[in-house]
Amino acid sequence: MGEYLRFIIRRERRISLIWLLSITASVLIFTSLYPTLVPTHAETLALATSMQNPAMVAMMGPVYGLAQITPAIIMSQETLIWYLIAVAIMNIFLITRHTRGDEEFGRIELLLAKPISVRIPTLAPLIFAIIINAIIALASALGVLIINIEGTTFLGALSFGLAIGGVGLYFAALTLLFAQIFSTSSGVFSASFITVGLMYMIRALADVEQSPLTLISPFGVALQMEVFYSNRLTLLLFLLLPSLFFIDIALLLNSIRDHGSGLIAQRPGKRRASAFLRSPFGLAWHLSKPSTLAWGGGIFLLGLSYGSVIGDLTSFVENNELMQQIILSSGPNTLLDGYVALIFSIMASVVSVPVILSTLRIYNEEITARAELLFSRPTSRRALYTPFLIIAFGESIMMFILLAIGLALGGGGVLSLGEIIGYGLAYLPAVWLFGAVGVFIVGFIPALRSLIWLFFASTFIITYTDFITPLPSYLTKLNPFVFIPHLPVEEFKILPLLILTISSALLITGGLVRYENRDLSNG
């Protein structure tokens, strides 16, 4: 066990370190912003009051501690949910990579050839996940203690860190269970990310209705701890007990399932491939379909949940004079327009993720050596890669349409479907730029493909931070979404969209030309 655990630590010394530094640095940066964001008690109370509207509750969680409000409480309410989502994603990738992923690559088979327990390949990644989550929890707690903004306490910092670590453990255990159930990495990823979206939606709806059902969701449990206020550490049991249950079931299934397959066996394919599947586009669609459908369903459900609070949003503001002053102080735009613009601004980043994944998918085939079989046929590399790009950019359009349909249905007819589809499609050039950067990296420096995720994370942080407090222009200009007119609040401008589209086209062209000629054996 110890030897294999050291091997995992060596493999993870870069990826997990990047996750650790990114989350910890985000905690330090965002926490340090709040003394300047809310320098007085009156401003702190005004910001907290504005967060009571259903839209903000659905997005970031319930407001608490108004009677004793402090910058530390506001910081936790506005940022904790994003750290929870980040640590959930980290654990999904981590556990899948070392369980189902290694089984697909044949690494576990080599390991089990030695005289070791069959549980070691399952337990070792879990132990490493527990270690890295504990380190992130400790680093996050120390980070907020070091910044020490008003309202920071030792117990509050401990609750803050344990909430992040507890949610991380929950999704590590759940992903470990999915790795025993599903036979492919794509199946594990799909089930895990669908669960993230479902748990977020359950929490959003339950928090808006002030329902105890929010405790079904790990995100709801963490937010109900009321960090820096009541610090309800006993709620950690709602994270710990399900995690232990998932681990026990995972170990049981691991002991009875066949190596190389999951509890749910892969459906046998046809004996002869169809003419469509034998085409480059058919192959690309076959590989992309599970991910595309999962992301599409998740984004539709998010749109539905965000749309469902629109009725409550309007009634809340009508009965709250302070909210009217805060929301309408910047101009004549209605609260509904601002809410729609905010949703598309944030969800545009989410839509970028499946686009990036699709542009990188051809390289996944390359590193698994399956691409050698494809390139042995009389088909150019460009002809094989292009269908993946068509699917990627088609996904971006489909995702915005599904988001708009969800918002319109959830809003109960308040929103015009045609108009909000147009608002979403305005973000396409910025989303395409992420895909174009992915193509460029696959063509020139595929070994450093993690750079695309660094680019994505930095733009998301800039986008979210700019909502809280204005950032220097040299930072915001690094974010492609800043050039997109935030319809319907801002006026539509075609020039920045054309510049982003042309930039994407140039990057894609360069990436494809290089991919056609580079050495596939070493990138």
Side-chain angles (χ1 to χ4, degrees):
M1 173 68 79
E3 184 179 353
Y4 187 52
L5 187 58
R6 286 192 296 272
F7 174 66
I8 292 177
I9 293 172
R10 179 174 176 78
R11 286 178 61 190
E12 288 291 321
R13 67 187 184 278
R14 292 190 180 91
I15 299 175
S16 290
L17 182 62
I18 290 173
W19 276 104
L20 171 62
L21 293 178
S22 298
I23 293 175
T24 305
S26 297
V27 170
L28 293 171
I29 292 170
F30 280 114
T31 304
S32 63
L33 287 175
Y34 278 83
T36 56
L37 177 63
V38 283
T40 67
H41 178 76
E43 290 173 302
T44 305
L45 182 60
L47 180 58
T49 304
S50 71
M51 290 173 59
Q52 283 184 297
N53 77 77
M56 293 298 101
V57 171
M59 187 173 296
M60 292 183 286
V63 177
Y64 56 85
L66 284 177
Q68 303 176 32
I69 199 68
T70 64
I73 293 176
I74 288 291
M75 182 277 295
S76 175
Q77 290 177 352
E78 286 197 331
T79 63
L80 181 57
I81 183 64
W82 308 115
Y83 302 137
L84 301 179
I85 293 174
V87 79
I89 293 172
M90 181 200 77
N91 280 277
I92 290 170
F93 279 115
L94 170 64
I95 295 296
T96 304
R97 185 162 56 246
H98 291 283
T99 54
R100 179 54 56 193
D102 277 354
E103 281 195 45
E104 287 184 319
F105 284 129
R107 296 184 182 121
I108 301 297
E109 186 174 359
L110 294 175
L111 181 66
L112 292 177
K114 300 183 69 174
I116 62 172
S117 169
V118 295
R119 289 191 170 189
I120 286 182
T122 302
L123 281 174
L126 176 64
I127 293 172
F128 179 80
I130 292 172
I131 293 172
I132 195 67
N133 281 294
I135 294 174
I136 288 175
L138 179 61
S140 300
L142 288 175
V144 294
L145 281 174
I146 291 170
I147 301 299
N148 195 30
I149 63 176
E150 182 185 349
T152 300
T153 62
F154 176 79
L155 188 58
L158 180 64
S159 301
F160 186 84
L162 289 178
I164 296 173
V167 169
L169 175 62
Y170 180 98
F171 280 99
L174 185 62
T175 306
L176 190 72
L177 176 58
F178 286 149
Q180 315 308 313
I181 295 174
F182 297 97
S183 300
T184 64
S185 294
S186 61
V188 177
F189 279 131
S190 297
S192 300
F193 282 112
I194 287 173
T195 303
V196 170
L198 182 63
M199 292 301 177
Y200 182 88
M201 187 177 70
I202 290 173
R203 179 214 59 78
L205 295 176
D207 284 345
V208 169
E209 299 296 330
Q210 297 183 351
S211 168
L213 292 177
T214 190
L215 296 179
I216 295 175
S217 166
F219 302 129
V221 171
L223 296 179
Q224 288 293 324
M225 288 174 63
E226 298 185 345
V227 174
F228 296 113
Y229 181 58
S230 59
N231 300 309
R232 301 161 65 187
L233 290 174
T234 54
L235 289 181
L236 286 172
L237 290 174
F238 286 86
L239 297 174
L240 181 60
L241 294 179
S243 300
L244 293 176
F245 175 75
F246 296 150
I247 292 170
D248 285 342
I249 299 299
L251 293 176
L252 175 63
L253 295 179
N254 178 257
S255 64
I256 62 176
R257 69 175 177 87
D258 291 334
H259 170 73
S261 66
L263 192 67
I264 300 176
Q266 277 187 287
R267 186 178 61 182
K270 297 178 181 179
R271 295 186 64 182
R272 293 183 179 275
S274 64
F276 175 70
L277 185 57
R278 290 198 297 269
S279 68
F281 187 85
L283 175 64
W285 173 242
H286 178 75
L287 295 173
S288 304
K289 180 170 64 175
S291 175
T292 300
L293 296 179
W295 276 100
I299 286 177
F300 171 76
L301 291 175
L302 282 175
L304 200 64
S305 65
Y306 285 138
S308 67
V309 306
I310 286 175
D312 295 328
L313 180 69
T314 305
S315 61
F316 177 83
V317 175
E318 288 176 349
N319 299 320
N320 191 315
E321 292 183 5
L322 179 59
M323 273 298 301
Q324 292 179 20
Q325 294 174 9
I326 293 170
I327 297 297
L328 302 179
S329 61
S330 59
N333 294 310
T334 66
L335 175 68
L336 183 59
D337 288 345
Y339 176 59
V340 170
L342 177 65
I343 293 301
F344 278 114
S345 297
I346 293 178
M347 290 302 295
S349 296
V350 179
V351 170
S352 302
V353 175
V355 174
I356 295 171
L357 291 173
S358 292
T359 58
L360 299 179
R361 190 161 285 120
I362 189 69
Y363 186 67
N364 294 336
E365 299 302 303
E366 186 179 326
I367 60 178
T368 55
R370 291 191 291 261
E372 293 182 10
L373 300 176
L374 301 176
F375 297 134
S376 65
R377 297 178 60 84
T379 304
S380 70
R381 297 180 190 174
R382 196 178 306 177
L384 284 170
Y385 196 3
T386 300
F388 288 93
L389 306 186
I390 294 173
I391 290 172
F393 297 115
E395 279 178 333
S396 63
I397 298 172
M398 183 191 77
M399 299 298 173
F400 279 118
I401 292 175
L402 288 172
L403 175 62
I405 293 173
L407 281 170
L409 290 177
V414 175
L415 299 172
S416 168
L417 179 59
E419 288 183 356
I420 57 175
I421 287 178
Y423 302 156
L425 295 183
Y427 286 88
L428 284 175
V431 173
W432 289 343
L433 185 65
F434 282 96
V437 172
V439 177
F440 187 84
I441 289 176
V442 168
F444 283 86
I445 46 174
L448 299 179
R449 61 194 182 279
S450 57
L451 290 175
I452 185 63
W453 298 113
L454 184 62
F455 176 42
F456 169 79
S458 63
T459 57
F460 182 83
I461 291 172
I462 291 172
T463 298
Y464 185 67
T465 306
D466 207 37
F467 284 134
I468 300 174
T469 183
L471 291 174
S473 60
Y474 67 86
L475 275 180
T476 57
K477 288 179 180 178
L478 298 175
N479 179 11
F481 293 114
V482 78
F483 301 104
I484 303 296
H486 295 174
L487 303 174
V489 174
E490 298 178 358
E491 182 183 353
F492 179 77
K493 298 177 182 178
I494 190 65
L495 182 59
L497 307 188
L498 289 175
I499 293 174
L500 287 172
T501 302
I502 293 171
S503 301
S504 298
L506 293 174
L507 288 170
I508 290 171
T509 301
L512 285 176
V513 170
R514 176 58 181 162
Y515 185 72
E516 185 77 30
N517 298 288
R518 75 168 169 83
D519 185 355
L520 297 181
S521 63
N522 55 27

